[in-house]
Amino acid sequence: MSDTAMTLEATIAFLDRDFPQMHAGGRSYHLEAVGPLSARMRLDGHERHLRPGGTVSGPAMMALADYALYAAILANLGPVALAVTTNLAFNFLRRPGPGTLVAECRLFKLGRRLAVGEVAIRSLGSEDIVCHATGTYSIPPER
């Protein structure tokens, strides 16, 4: 028996089916784990994710955080395609080099109408957080 409403495989299949645009230009986002009120997602950095100076861009990290939050919510609630972001806040703490980033997400609240969580993004192999994000999602009343 799973501790989540959707398994890792079911969550990946839902995301691939309902959000194929996330893989435009080639697959970069990889959902690696889901658990009770949590998810882990990896971004394999490509040239398209870099900004001048050779660092992963803010928009690439913002997409990673938002996508990881959504995956955690889906895995824990089930397939709720119309859950939408209502707020995201970012603190960029360190300059990541070009390469792979890992987002660890945990949800603080998973209610009937709102989900609130945080995401810590690190460069692969590092303990230092490069970006910290908090976010709120609105969950549709009929699921």
Side-chain angles (χ1 to χ4, degrees):
M1 182 166 181
S2 175
D3 291 337
T4 57
M6 294 174 66
T7 65
L8 173 63
E9 295 76 16
T11 307
I12 291 169
F14 179 88
L15 292 170
D16 286 351
R17 182 183 64 247
D18 283 31
F19 295 97
Q21 65 271 25
M22 291 304 293
H23 304 302
R27 185 176 291 270
S28 297
Y29 297 92
H30 305 274
L31 184 59
E32 296 183 330
V34 296
L37 302 178
S38 66
R40 183 179 64 244
M41 185 173 283
R42 185 182 83 242
L43 169 63
D44 291 336
H46 296 288
E47 180 94 15
R48 68 181 179 270
H49 300 121
L50 299 181
R51 60 165 299 214
T55 185
V56 177
S57 71
M61 288 187 274
M62 294 163 99
L64 175 60
D66 192 28
Y67 204 31
L69 274 165
Y70 186 64
I73 293 165
L74 282 176
N76 282 274
L77 283 183
V80 184
L82 296 179
V84 296
T85 309
T86 59
N87 183 60
L88 283 173
F90 295 89
N91 293 295
F92 298 100
L93 306 172
R94 290 176 180 75
R95 178 185 181 270
T100 300
L101 297 179
V102 177
E104 294 280 348
C105 174
R106 72 181 174 127
L107 301 175
F108 299 132
K109 174 187 170 120
L110 187 57
R112 291 174 8 142
R113 298 300 308 253
L114 289 177
V116 179
E118 74 172 351
V119 181
I121 300 175
R122 295 174 172 86
S123 294
L124 184 65
S126 175
E127 290 298 315
D128 295 332
I129 296 173
V130 298
C131 178
H132 178 261
T134 58
T136 304
Y137 268 74
S138 176
I139 300 166
E142 294 185 32
R143 295 186 256 156

PDB file of all heavy atoms in Angstrom, residues 58-99:
ATOM      1  N   GLY A  58      17.328  32.129 -13.459  1.00  0.00           N
ATOM      2  CA  GLY A  58      16.241  32.215 -12.496  1.00  0.00           C
ATOM      3  C   GLY A  58      14.955  31.595 -13.015  1.00  0.00           C
ATOM      4  O   GLY A  58      14.313  30.818 -12.299  1.00  0.00           O
ATOM      5  N   PRO A  59      14.539  31.890 -14.248  1.00  0.00           N
ATOM      6  CA  PRO A  59      13.315  31.273 -14.757  1.00  0.00           C
ATOM      7  C   PRO A  59      13.371  29.737 -14.797  1.00  0.00           C
ATOM      8  O   PRO A  59      12.359  29.086 -14.555  1.00  0.00           O
ATOM      9  CB  PRO A  59      13.180  31.865 -16.167  1.00  0.00           C
ATOM     10  CG  PRO A  59      13.830  33.205 -16.051  1.00  0.00           C
ATOM     11  CD  PRO A  59      15.010  32.974 -15.134  1.00  0.00           C
ATOM     12  N   ALA A  60      14.540  29.168 -15.066  1.00  0.00           N
ATOM     13  CA  ALA A  60      14.654  27.703 -15.062  1.00  0.00           C
ATOM     14  C   ALA A  60      14.458  27.158 -13.649  1.00  0.00           C
ATOM     15  O   ALA A  60      13.776  26.145 -13.447  1.00  0.00           O
ATOM     16  CB  ALA A  60      16.009  27.275 -15.619  1.00  0.00           C
ATOM     17  N   MET A  61      15.025  27.836 -12.645  1.00  0.00           N
ATOM     18  CA  MET A  61      14.845  27.402 -11.257  1.00  0.00           C
ATOM     19  C   MET A  61      13.405  27.626 -10.800  1.00  0.00           C
ATOM     20  O   MET A  61      12.850  26.819 -10.041  1.00  0.00           O
ATOM     21  CB  MET A  61      15.824  28.135 -10.337  1.00  0.00           C
ATOM     22  CG  MET A  61      17.258  27.654 -10.511  1.00  0.00           C
ATOM     23  SD  MET A  61      18.385  28.369  -9.297  1.00  0.00           S
ATOM     24  CE  MET A  61      18.815  29.899 -10.127  1.00  0.00           C
ATOM     25  N   MET A  62      12.783  28.705 -11.273  1.00  0.00           N
ATOM     26  CA  MET A  62      11.392  28.971 -10.912  1.00  0.00           C
ATOM     27  C   MET A  62      10.474  27.882 -11.476  1.00  0.00           C
ATOM     28  O   MET A  62       9.572  27.409 -10.777  1.00  0.00           O
ATOM     29  CB  MET A  62      10.989  30.352 -11.417  1.00  0.00           C
ATOM     30  CG  MET A  62      11.749  31.467 -10.721  1.00  0.00           C
ATOM     31  SD  MET A  62      11.650  33.030 -11.603  1.00  0.00           S
ATOM     32  CE  MET A  62      10.357  33.835 -10.685  1.00  0.00           C
ATOM     33  N   ALA A  63      10.706  27.479 -12.704  1.00  0.00           N
ATOM     34  CA  ALA A  63       9.903  26.407 -13.300  1.00  0.00           C
ATOM     35  C   ALA A  63      10.110  25.098 -12.537  1.00  0.00           C
ATOM     36  O   ALA A  63       9.149  24.363 -12.277  1.00  0.00           O
ATOM     37  CB  ALA A  63      10.269  26.236 -14.778  1.00  0.00           C
ATOM     38  N   LEU A  64      11.349  24.803 -12.169  1.00  0.00           N
ATOM     39  CA  LEU A  64      11.639  23.585 -11.417  1.00  0.00           C
ATOM     40  C   LEU A  64      10.889  23.585 -10.086  1.00  0.00           C
ATOM     41  O   LEU A  64      10.258  22.583  -9.718  1.00  0.00           O
ATOM     42  CB  LEU A  64      13.149  23.456 -11.184  1.00  0.00           C
ATOM     43  CG  LEU A  64      13.616  22.299 -10.315  1.00  0.00           C
ATOM     44  CD1 LEU A  64      13.215  20.954 -10.907  1.00  0.00           C
ATOM     45  CD2 LEU A  64      15.131  22.383 -10.124  1.00  0.00           C
ATOM     46  N   ALA A  65      10.915  24.676  -9.356  1.00  0.00           N
ATOM     47  CA  ALA A  65      10.230  24.756  -8.065  1.00  0.00           C
ATOM     48  C   ALA A  65       8.717  24.599  -8.231  1.00  0.00           C
ATOM     49  O   ALA A  65       8.072  23.842  -7.491  1.00  0.00           O
ATOM     50  CB  ALA A  65      10.566  26.079  -7.376  1.00  0.00           C
ATOM     51  N   ASP A  66       8.145  25.296  -9.195  1.00  0.00           N
ATOM     52  CA  ASP A  66       6.701  25.237  -9.422  1.00  0.00           C
ATOM     53  C   ASP A  66       6.280  23.825  -9.820  1.00  0.00           C
ATOM     54  O   ASP A  66       5.281  23.293  -9.318  1.00  0.00           O
ATOM     55  CB  ASP A  66       6.321  26.255 -10.498  1.00  0.00           C
ATOM     56  CG  ASP A  66       4.822  26.492 -10.604  1.00  0.00           C
ATOM     57  OD1 ASP A  66       4.095  26.337  -9.598  1.00  0.00           O
ATOM     58  OD2 ASP A  66       4.375  26.861 -11.701  1.00  0.00           O
ATOM     59  N   TYR A  67       7.034  23.204 -10.695  1.00  0.00           N
ATOM     60  CA  TYR A  67       6.727  21.847 -11.176  1.00  0.00           C
ATOM     61  C   TYR A  67       6.863  20.829 -10.039  1.00  0.00           C
ATOM     62  O   TYR A  67       6.050  19.916  -9.918  1.00  0.00           O
ATOM     63  CB  TYR A  67       7.661  21.531 -12.340  1.00  0.00           C
ATOM     64  CG  TYR A  67       7.191  20.486 -13.313  1.00  0.00           C
ATOM     65  CD1 TYR A  67       5.851  20.281 -13.604  1.00  0.00           C
ATOM     66  CD2 TYR A  67       8.121  19.702 -13.984  1.00  0.00           C
ATOM     67  CE1 TYR A  67       5.451  19.311 -14.526  1.00  0.00           C
ATOM     68  CE2 TYR A  67       7.734  18.742 -14.897  1.00  0.00           C
ATOM     69  CZ  TYR A  67       6.392  18.548 -15.163  1.00  0.00           C
ATOM     70  OH  TYR A  67       6.001  17.595 -16.076  1.00  0.00           O
ATOM     71  N   ALA A  68       7.860  20.987  -9.184  1.00  0.00           N
ATOM     72  CA  ALA A  68       8.044  20.075  -8.050  1.00  0.00           C
ATOM     73  C   ALA A  68       6.883  20.210  -7.052  1.00  0.00           C
ATOM     74  O   ALA A  68       6.385  19.203  -6.534  1.00  0.00           O
ATOM     75  CB  ALA A  68       9.379  20.343  -7.361  1.00  0.00           C
ATOM     76  N   LEU A  69       6.456  21.435  -6.787  1.00  0.00           N
ATOM     77  CA  LEU A  69       5.301  21.642  -5.912  1.00  0.00           C
ATOM     78  C   LEU A  69       4.061  20.970  -6.484  1.00  0.00           C
ATOM     79  O   LEU A  69       3.326  20.278  -5.773  1.00  0.00           O
ATOM     80  CB  LEU A  69       5.026  23.140  -5.737  1.00  0.00           C
ATOM     81  CG  LEU A  69       5.791  23.870  -4.650  1.00  0.00           C
ATOM     82  CD1 LEU A  69       5.699  25.380  -4.850  1.00  0.00           C
ATOM     83  CD2 LEU A  69       5.266  23.485  -3.282  1.00  0.00           C
ATOM     84  N   TYR A  70       3.828  21.170  -7.758  1.00  0.00           N
ATOM     85  CA  TYR A  70       2.661  20.575  -8.413  1.00  0.00           C
ATOM     86  C   TYR A  70       2.724  19.061  -8.333  1.00  0.00           C
ATOM     87  O   TYR A  70       1.721  18.399  -8.044  1.00  0.00           O
ATOM     88  CB  TYR A  70       2.572  21.063  -9.862  1.00  0.00           C
ATOM     89  CG  TYR A  70       1.309  20.614 -10.550  1.00  0.00           C
ATOM     90  CD1 TYR A  70       0.061  21.043 -10.108  1.00  0.00           C
ATOM     91  CD2 TYR A  70       1.364  19.774 -11.641  1.00  0.00           C
ATOM     92  CE1 TYR A  70      -1.106  20.635 -10.743  1.00  0.00           C
ATOM     93  CE2 TYR A  70       0.197  19.361 -12.280  1.00  0.00           C
ATOM     94  CZ  TYR A  70      -1.025  19.786 -11.827  1.00  0.00           C
ATOM     95  OH  TYR A  70      -2.175  19.377 -12.447  1.00  0.00           O
ATOM     96  N   ALA A  71       3.891  18.476  -8.565  1.00  0.00           N
ATOM     97  CA  ALA A  71       4.044  17.018  -8.506  1.00  0.00           C
ATOM     98  C   ALA A  71       3.751  16.494  -7.103  1.00  0.00           C
ATOM     99  O   ALA A  71       3.091  15.456  -6.947  1.00  0.00           O
ATOM    100  CB  ALA A  71       5.448  16.620  -8.953  1.00  0.00           C
ATOM    101  N   ALA A  72       4.224  17.189  -6.076  1.00  0.00           N
ATOM    102  CA  ALA A  72       3.955  16.763  -4.698  1.00  0.00           C
ATOM    103  C   ALA A  72       2.460  16.794  -4.403  1.00  0.00           C
ATOM    104  O   ALA A  72       1.917  15.874  -3.775  1.00  0.00           O
ATOM    105  CB  ALA A  72       4.723  17.639  -3.714  1.00  0.00           C
ATOM    106  N   ILE A  73       1.789  17.845  -4.861  1.00  0.00           N
ATOM    107  CA  ILE A  73       0.347  17.962  -4.644  1.00  0.00           C
ATOM    108  C   ILE A  73      -0.387  16.843  -5.361  1.00  0.00           C
ATOM    109  O   ILE A  73      -1.249  16.172  -4.780  1.00  0.00           O
ATOM    110  CB  ILE A  73      -0.153  19.350  -5.087  1.00  0.00           C
ATOM    111  CG1 ILE A  73       0.422  20.429  -4.164  1.00  0.00           C
ATOM    112  CG2 ILE A  73      -1.680  19.403  -5.117  1.00  0.00           C
ATOM    113  CD1 ILE A  73       0.299  21.840  -4.696  1.00  0.00           C
ATOM    114  N   LEU A  74      -0.054  16.616  -6.625  1.00  0.00           N
ATOM    115  CA  LEU A  74      -0.696  15.541  -7.394  1.00  0.00           C
ATOM    116  C   LEU A  74      -0.515  14.189  -6.727  1.00  0.00           C
ATOM    117  O   LEU A  74      -1.469  13.417  -6.591  1.00  0.00           O
ATOM    118  CB  LEU A  74      -0.083  15.446  -8.794  1.00  0.00           C
ATOM    119  CG  LEU A  74      -0.507  16.439  -9.839  1.00  0.00           C
ATOM    120  CD1 LEU A  74       0.294  16.204 -11.109  1.00  0.00           C
ATOM    121  CD2 LEU A  74      -1.983  16.326 -10.113  1.00  0.00           C
ATOM    122  N   ALA A  75       0.705  13.885  -6.357  1.00  0.00           N
ATOM    123  CA  ALA A  75       0.999  12.581  -5.769  1.00  0.00           C
ATOM    124  C   ALA A  75       0.198  12.351  -4.495  1.00  0.00           C
ATOM    125  O   ALA A  75      -0.204  11.222  -4.208  1.00  0.00           O
ATOM    126  CB  ALA A  75       2.496  12.448  -5.489  1.00  0.00           C
ATOM    127  N   ASN A  76      -0.048  13.424  -3.755  1.00  0.00           N
ATOM    128  CA  ASN A  76      -0.735  13.284  -2.474  1.00  0.00           C
ATOM    129  C   ASN A  76      -2.247  13.413  -2.555  1.00  0.00           C
ATOM    130  O   ASN A  76      -2.956  12.855  -1.730  1.00  0.00           O
ATOM    131  CB  ASN A  76      -0.151  14.274  -1.463  1.00  0.00           C
ATOM    132  CG  ASN A  76       1.165  13.779  -0.919  1.00  0.00           C
ATOM    133  OD1 ASN A  76       1.189  13.029   0.042  1.00  0.00           O
ATOM    134  ND2 ASN A  76       2.269  14.135  -1.564  1.00  0.00           N
ATOM    135  N   LEU A  77      -2.769  14.134  -3.556  1.00  0.00           N
ATOM    136  CA  LEU A  77      -4.214  14.292  -3.714  1.00  0.00           C
ATOM    137  C   LEU A  77      -4.817  13.390  -4.766  1.00  0.00           C
ATOM    138  O   LEU A  77      -5.991  13.074  -4.720  1.00  0.00           O
ATOM    139  CB  LEU A  77      -4.556  15.736  -4.098  1.00  0.00           C
ATOM    140  CG  LEU A  77      -4.528  16.784  -3.013  1.00  0.00           C
ATOM    141  CD1 LEU A  77      -4.973  18.127  -3.591  1.00  0.00           C
ATOM    142  CD2 LEU A  77      -5.397  16.396  -1.842  1.00  0.00           C
ATOM    143  N   GLY A  78      -4.033  13.043  -5.760  1.00  0.00           N
ATOM    144  CA  GLY A  78      -4.542  12.347  -6.925  1.00  0.00           C
ATOM    145  C   GLY A  78      -4.560  13.304  -8.107  1.00  0.00           C
ATOM    146  O   GLY A  78      -4.173  14.468  -7.980  1.00  0.00           O
ATOM    147  N   PRO A  79      -5.004  12.841  -9.265  1.00  0.00           N
ATOM    148  CA  PRO A  79      -4.927  13.643 -10.495  1.00  0.00           C
ATOM    149  C   PRO A  79      -5.884  14.839 -10.485  1.00  0.00           C
ATOM    150  O   PRO A  79      -7.053  14.715 -10.812  1.00  0.00           O
ATOM    151  CB  PRO A  79      -5.281  12.647 -11.596  1.00  0.00           C
ATOM    152  CG  PRO A  79      -6.061  11.583 -10.903  1.00  0.00           C
ATOM    153  CD  PRO A  79      -5.574  11.524  -9.492  1.00  0.00           C
ATOM    154  N   VAL A  80      -5.358  15.996 -10.089  1.00  0.00           N
ATOM    155  CA  VAL A  80      -6.137  17.241 -10.022  1.00  0.00           C
ATOM    156  C   VAL A  80      -5.521  18.214 -11.021  1.00  0.00           C
ATOM    157  O   VAL A  80      -4.725  19.070 -10.659  1.00  0.00           O
ATOM    158  CB  VAL A  80      -6.105  17.841  -8.594  1.00  0.00           C
ATOM    159  CG1 VAL A  80      -6.995  19.074  -8.515  1.00  0.00           C
ATOM    160  CG2 VAL A  80      -6.522  16.811  -7.569  1.00  0.00           C
ATOM    161  N   ALA A  81      -5.883  18.088 -12.277  1.00  0.00           N
ATOM    162  CA  ALA A  81      -5.250  18.877 -13.329  1.00  0.00           C
ATOM    163  C   ALA A  81      -5.464  20.372 -13.148  1.00  0.00           C
ATOM    164  O   ALA A  81      -4.635  21.166 -13.561  1.00  0.00           O
ATOM    165  CB  ALA A  81      -5.759  18.444 -14.698  1.00  0.00           C
ATOM    166  N   LEU A  82      -6.562  20.764 -12.533  1.00  0.00           N
ATOM    167  CA  LEU A  82      -6.873  22.194 -12.454  1.00  0.00           C
ATOM    168  C   LEU A  82      -6.388  22.864 -11.178  1.00  0.00           C
ATOM    169  O   LEU A  82      -6.747  24.018 -10.918  1.00  0.00           O
ATOM    170  CB  LEU A  82      -8.373  22.412 -12.648  1.00  0.00           C
ATOM    171  CG  LEU A  82      -8.882  21.991 -14.033  1.00  0.00           C
ATOM    172  CD1 LEU A  82     -10.386  22.206 -14.132  1.00  0.00           C
ATOM    173  CD2 LEU A  82      -8.164  22.737 -15.138  1.00  0.00           C
ATOM    174  N   ALA A  83      -5.578  22.191 -10.377  1.00  0.00           N
ATOM    175  CA  ALA A  83      -4.926  22.878  -9.259  1.00  0.00           C
ATOM    176  C   ALA A  83      -3.993  23.916  -9.876  1.00  0.00           C
ATOM    177  O   ALA A  83      -3.263  23.623 -10.822  1.00  0.00           O
ATOM    178  CB  ALA A  83      -4.148  21.892  -8.393  1.00  0.00           C
ATOM    179  N   VAL A  84      -4.043  25.141  -9.359  1.00  0.00           N
ATOM    180  CA  VAL A  84      -3.265  26.220  -9.970  1.00  0.00           C
ATOM    181  C   VAL A  84      -2.437  26.969  -8.936  1.00  0.00           C
ATOM    182  O   VAL A  84      -2.840  27.118  -7.788  1.00  0.00           O
ATOM    183  CB  VAL A  84      -4.156  27.225 -10.741  1.00  0.00           C
ATOM    184  CG1 VAL A  84      -4.837  26.557 -11.920  1.00  0.00           C
ATOM    185  CG2 VAL A  84      -5.196  27.849  -9.829  1.00  0.00           C
ATOM    186  N   THR A  85      -1.305  27.469  -9.388  1.00  0.00           N
ATOM    187  CA  THR A  85      -0.439  28.273  -8.546  1.00  0.00           C
ATOM    188  C   THR A  85      -1.119  29.600  -8.253  1.00  0.00           C
ATOM    189  O   THR A  85      -1.591  30.275  -9.170  1.00  0.00           O
ATOM    190  CB  THR A  85       0.896  28.551  -9.275  1.00  0.00           C
ATOM    191  OG1 THR A  85       1.437  27.328  -9.750  1.00  0.00           O
ATOM    192  CG2 THR A  85       1.885  29.244  -8.359  1.00  0.00           C
ATOM    193  N   THR A  86      -1.160  29.980  -6.976  1.00  0.00           N
ATOM    194  CA  THR A  86      -1.693  31.292  -6.619  1.00  0.00           C
ATOM    195  C   THR A  86      -0.603  32.218  -6.098  1.00  0.00           C
ATOM    196  O   THR A  86      -0.769  33.432  -6.097  1.00  0.00           O
ATOM    197  CB  THR A  86      -2.818  31.193  -5.576  1.00  0.00           C
ATOM    198  OG1 THR A  86      -2.312  30.568  -4.403  1.00  0.00           O
ATOM    199  CG2 THR A  86      -3.994  30.409  -6.120  1.00  0.00           C
ATOM    200  N   ASN A  87       0.512  31.650  -5.638  1.00  0.00           N
ATOM    201  CA  ASN A  87       1.608  32.472  -5.152  1.00  0.00           C
ATOM    202  C   ASN A  87       2.901  31.672  -5.196  1.00  0.00           C
ATOM    203  O   ASN A  87       2.915  30.484  -4.868  1.00  0.00           O
ATOM    204  CB  ASN A  87       1.338  32.925  -3.710  1.00  0.00           C
ATOM    205  CG  ASN A  87       2.427  33.831  -3.195  1.00  0.00           C
ATOM    206  OD1 ASN A  87       2.681  34.886  -3.757  1.00  0.00           O
ATOM    207  ND2 ASN A  87       3.098  33.419  -2.138  1.00  0.00           N
ATOM    208  N   LEU A  88       3.975  32.342  -5.601  1.00  0.00           N
ATOM    209  CA  LEU A  88       5.320  31.772  -5.527  1.00  0.00           C
ATOM    210  C   LEU A  88       6.267  32.886  -5.090  1.00  0.00           C
ATOM    211  O   LEU A  88       6.174  34.003  -5.586  1.00  0.00           O
ATOM    212  CB  LEU A  88       5.799  31.234  -6.888  1.00  0.00           C
ATOM    213  CG  LEU A  88       5.236  29.916  -7.347  1.00  0.00           C
ATOM    214  CD1 LEU A  88       5.685  29.618  -8.779  1.00  0.00           C
ATOM    215  CD2 LEU A  88       5.665  28.784  -6.443  1.00  0.00           C
ATOM    216  N   ALA A  89       7.165  32.555  -4.176  1.00  0.00           N
ATOM    217  CA  ALA A  89       8.183  33.518  -3.732  1.00  0.00           C
ATOM    218  C   ALA A  89       9.527  32.811  -3.758  1.00  0.00           C
ATOM    219  O   ALA A  89       9.637  31.641  -3.358  1.00  0.00           O
ATOM    220  CB  ALA A  89       7.873  34.009  -2.322  1.00  0.00           C
ATOM    221  N   PHE A  90      10.553  33.519  -4.241  1.00  0.00           N
ATOM    222  CA  PHE A  90      11.873  32.917  -4.434  1.00  0.00           C
ATOM    223  C   PHE A  90      12.954  33.722  -3.739  1.00  0.00           C
ATOM    224  O   PHE A  90      12.932  34.953  -3.768  1.00  0.00           O
ATOM    225  CB  PHE A  90      12.214  32.853  -5.931  1.00  0.00           C
ATOM    226  CG  PHE A  90      11.308  31.951  -6.694  1.00  0.00           C
ATOM    227  CD1 PHE A  90      10.131  32.434  -7.248  1.00  0.00           C
ATOM    228  CD2 PHE A  90      11.607  30.611  -6.839  1.00  0.00           C
ATOM    229  CE1 PHE A  90       9.279  31.604  -7.940  1.00  0.00           C
ATOM    230  CE2 PHE A  90      10.754  29.767  -7.534  1.00  0.00           C
ATOM    231  CZ  PHE A  90       9.589  30.257  -8.081  1.00  0.00           C
ATOM    232  N   ASN A  91      13.892  33.008  -3.163  1.00  0.00           N
ATOM    233  CA  ASN A  91      15.118  33.598  -2.640  1.00  0.00           C
ATOM    234  C   ASN A  91      16.271  32.884  -3.338  1.00  0.00           C
ATOM    235  O   ASN A  91      16.455  31.664  -3.165  1.00  0.00           O
ATOM    236  CB  ASN A  91      15.230  33.399  -1.118  1.00  0.00           C
ATOM    237  CG  ASN A  91      14.172  34.181  -0.392  1.00  0.00           C
ATOM    238  OD1 ASN A  91      14.168  35.398  -0.425  1.00  0.00           O
ATOM    239  ND2 ASN A  91      13.252  33.480   0.255  1.00  0.00           N
ATOM    240  N   PHE A  92      17.010  33.616  -4.147  1.00  0.00           N
ATOM    241  CA  PHE A  92      18.166  33.063  -4.838  1.00  0.00           C
ATOM    242  C   PHE A  92      19.367  33.291  -3.928  1.00  0.00           C
ATOM    243  O   PHE A  92      19.753  34.433  -3.677  1.00  0.00           O
ATOM    244  CB  PHE A  92      18.338  33.713  -6.210  1.00  0.00           C
ATOM    245  CG  PHE A  92      17.156  33.457  -7.106  1.00  0.00           C
ATOM    246  CD1 PHE A  92      16.174  34.423  -7.277  1.00  0.00           C
ATOM    247  CD2 PHE A  92      17.012  32.243  -7.746  1.00  0.00           C
ATOM    248  CE1 PHE A  92      15.071  34.183  -8.084  1.00  0.00           C
ATOM    249  CE2 PHE A  92      15.909  31.991  -8.555  1.00  0.00           C
ATOM    250  CZ  PHE A  92      14.947  32.961  -8.723  1.00  0.00           C
ATOM    251  N   LEU A  93      19.951  32.215  -3.418  1.00  0.00           N
ATOM    252  CA  LEU A  93      20.944  32.301  -2.356  1.00  0.00           C
ATOM    253  C   LEU A  93      22.380  32.185  -2.834  1.00  0.00           C
ATOM    254  O   LEU A  93      23.279  32.776  -2.240  1.00  0.00           O
ATOM    255  CB  LEU A  93      20.666  31.215  -1.313  1.00  0.00           C
ATOM    256  CG  LEU A  93      19.234  31.233  -0.758  1.00  0.00           C
ATOM    257  CD1 LEU A  93      18.993  30.016   0.106  1.00  0.00           C
ATOM    258  CD2 LEU A  93      18.988  32.514   0.003  1.00  0.00           C
ATOM    259  N   ARG A  94      22.603  31.391  -3.856  1.00  0.00           N
ATOM    260  CA  ARG A  94      23.945  31.177  -4.401  1.00  0.00           C
ATOM    261  C   ARG A  94      23.834  31.004  -5.903  1.00  0.00           C
ATOM    262  O   ARG A  94      22.825  30.576  -6.417  1.00  0.00           O
ATOM    263  CB  ARG A  94      24.571  29.898  -3.836  1.00  0.00           C
ATOM    264  CG  ARG A  94      24.926  29.985  -2.394  1.00  0.00           C
ATOM    265  CD  ARG A  94      25.459  28.644  -1.863  1.00  0.00           C
ATOM    266  NE  ARG A  94      25.784  28.778  -0.467  1.00  0.00           N
ATOM    267  CZ  ARG A  94      24.899  28.825   0.509  1.00  0.00           C
ATOM    268  NH1 ARG A  94      23.621  28.744   0.238  1.00  0.00           N
ATOM    269  NH2 ARG A  94      25.282  28.952   1.751  1.00  0.00           N
ATOM    270  N   ARG A  95      24.902  31.256  -6.565  1.00  0.00           N
ATOM    271  CA  ARG A  95      24.965  31.097  -8.020  1.00  0.00           C
ATOM    272  C   ARG A  95      25.274  29.637  -8.344  1.00  0.00           C
ATOM    273  O   ARG A  95      26.360  29.157  -8.044  1.00  0.00           O
ATOM    274  CB  ARG A  95      26.076  32.007  -8.552  1.00  0.00           C
ATOM    275  CG  ARG A  95      26.307  31.921 -10.019  1.00  0.00           C
ATOM    276  CD  ARG A  95      27.521  32.789 -10.387  1.00  0.00           C
ATOM    277  NE  ARG A  95      27.782  32.755 -11.779  1.00  0.00           N
ATOM    278  CZ  ARG A  95      28.576  31.872 -12.384  1.00  0.00           C
ATOM    279  NH1 ARG A  95      29.213  30.968 -11.683  1.00  0.00           N
ATOM    280  NH2 ARG A  95      28.744  31.917 -13.681  1.00  0.00           N
ATOM    281  N   PRO A  96      24.316  28.923  -8.941  1.00  0.00           N
ATOM    282  CA  PRO A  96      24.638  27.554  -9.351  1.00  0.00           C
ATOM    283  C   PRO A  96      25.451  27.567 -10.638  1.00  0.00           C
ATOM    284  O   PRO A  96      25.240  28.431 -11.494  1.00  0.00           O
ATOM    285  CB  PRO A  96      23.269  26.919  -9.579  1.00  0.00           C
ATOM    286  CG  PRO A  96      22.404  28.060  -9.994  1.00  0.00           C
ATOM    287  CD  PRO A  96      22.934  29.264  -9.246  1.00  0.00           C
ATOM    288  N   GLY A  97      26.349  26.652 -10.750  1.00  0.00           N
ATOM    289  CA  GLY A  97      27.063  26.509 -12.013  1.00  0.00           C
ATOM    290  C   GLY A  97      26.160  25.841 -13.030  1.00  0.00           C
ATOM    291  O   GLY A  97      25.029  25.464 -12.721  1.00  0.00           O
ATOM    292  N   PRO A  98      26.633  25.684 -14.249  1.00  0.00           N
ATOM    293  CA  PRO A  98      25.840  24.970 -15.242  1.00  0.00           C
ATOM    294  C   PRO A  98      25.785  23.498 -14.832  1.00  0.00           C
ATOM    295  O   PRO A  98      26.756  22.948 -14.330  1.00  0.00           O
ATOM    296  CB  PRO A  98      26.629  25.165 -16.536  1.00  0.00           C
ATOM    297  CG  PRO A  98      28.030  25.407 -16.086  1.00  0.00           C
ATOM    298  CD  PRO A  98      27.935  26.094 -14.755  1.00  0.00           C
ATOM    299  N   GLY A  99      24.664  22.895 -14.988  1.00  0.00           N
ATOM    300  CA  GLY A  99      24.569  21.476 -14.639  1.00  0.00           C
ATOM    301  C   GLY A  99      23.240  21.130 -14.006  1.00  0.00           C
ATOM    302  O   GLY A  99      22.278  21.892 -14.064  1.00  0.00           O
TER     303      GLY A  99
END
